[in-house]
Amino acid sequence: DLSNRPLEMASGEEEVPKSAETKRLAPKRQTLDDAYAAPANFLEIDVSNAETHGFGRNRYTDYEVRMRTNIPIFKIKDSTVRRRYSDFEWLKRELERDSKILVPPLPGKAISRQLPFRKDDGIFEDEFVEQRRESLEQFVNKIAGHPLAQNEKCLHMFLVEPLIDKNYVPGKVRTT
């Protein structure tokens, strides 16, 4: 009977036939319930509803940052806060200082749009505000999608606390 004999390979070694223990498992067929059920783990962050406040040199734009998740490390599963560009800068600095991750770049400060005597609204132009909103959303989603960043207190504070405590003690979030 040839089926029980080891096969000889070109290198002269013998190939052992696969037994029941080493056979590949048959894939589980996906049901409609599985296909349309909530994902096992998800983290959604939307940056939206830009609003410009103030007048003259005290003018600024902030954005609504909404987070929804079922990831266990996040104690709050659904939150909405408002953040300015400077808050995104703070988050980037904190992560660069305290974490081991490579932090992506923020969209630029747009210095030329802040020069006086412009014939438009500069950084408050609707088109610019929308471009910046999209870039900030990409930035925060890249960061929040990183498993190591998800443990950082600064990210949790940025996503869920109405006010950022810039005197917080950096560190990791604990699940206990």
Side-chain angles (χ1 to χ4, degrees):
D1 182 16
L2 293 176
S3 64
N4 288 335
R5 278 190 26 209
L7 301 173
E8 199 167 309
M9 298 172 67
S11 64
E13 297 176 22
E14 293 180 353
E15 182 182 321
V16 179
K18 292 183 179 178
S19 67
E21 296 87 33
T22 61
K23 277 189 181 172
R24 180 169 250 172
L25 296 174
K28 180 184 171 212
R29 302 230 0 119
Q30 186 177 33
T31 67
L32 281 176
D33 287 340
D34 293 338
Y36 292 100
N41 280 328
F42 71 90
L43 175 61
E44 298 170 357
I45 302 171
D46 297 316
V47 177
S48 60
N49 300 331
E51 290 180 8
T52 299
H53 309 274
F55 298 96
R57 295 185 50 81
N58 295 325
R59 204 168 171 197
Y60 67 93
T61 302
D62 67 8
Y63 305 85
E64 181 179 284
V65 177
R66 177 154 191 237
M67 186 260 319
R68 290 182 52 238
T69 188
N70 66 354
I71 297 175
I73 192 80
F74 291 93
K75 291 176 179 65
I76 297 174
K77 304 300 182 191
D78 192 336
S79 73
T80 302
V81 294
R82 294 209 63 87
R83 295 289 181 247
R84 297 172 63 161
Y85 181 84
S86 58
D87 297 326
F88 286 86
E89 288 179 311
W90 171 84
L91 176 62
K92 180 176 175 23
R93 277 192 313 274
E94 291 299 302
L95 288 169
E96 286 173 338
R97 186 184 71 195
D98 295 321
S99 74
K100 302 283 188 256
I101 68 169
L102 181 61
V103 182
L106 266 172
K109 282 289 270 182
I111 300 297
S112 66
R113 285 188 162 269
Q114 298 176 43
L115 295 173
F117 311 115
R118 290 182 59 95
K119 293 185 183 350
D120 63 10
D121 257 351
I123 61 171
F124 303 107
E125 283 285 318
D126 290 344
E127 184 179 316
F128 176 77
V129 169
E130 176 57 19
Q131 288 172 349
R132 180 173 267 184
R133 183 206 62 76
E134 288 175 7
S135 297
L136 292 173
E137 185 174 85
Q138 290 173 355
F139 169 79
V140 74
N141 274 288
K142 281 181 187 174
I143 288 172
H146 195 294
L148 293 177
Q150 291 173 4
N151 295 323
E152 294 294 333
K153 284 183 183 179
C154 60
L155 178 64
H156 287 248
M157 189 183 325
F158 179 87
L159 292 173
V160 302
E161 297 294 330
L163 298 173
I164 293 175
D165 175 10
K166 299 197 174 157
N167 296 318
Y168 85 110
V169 177
K172 307 290 184 231
V173 173
R174 305 284 179 227
T175 55
T176 54

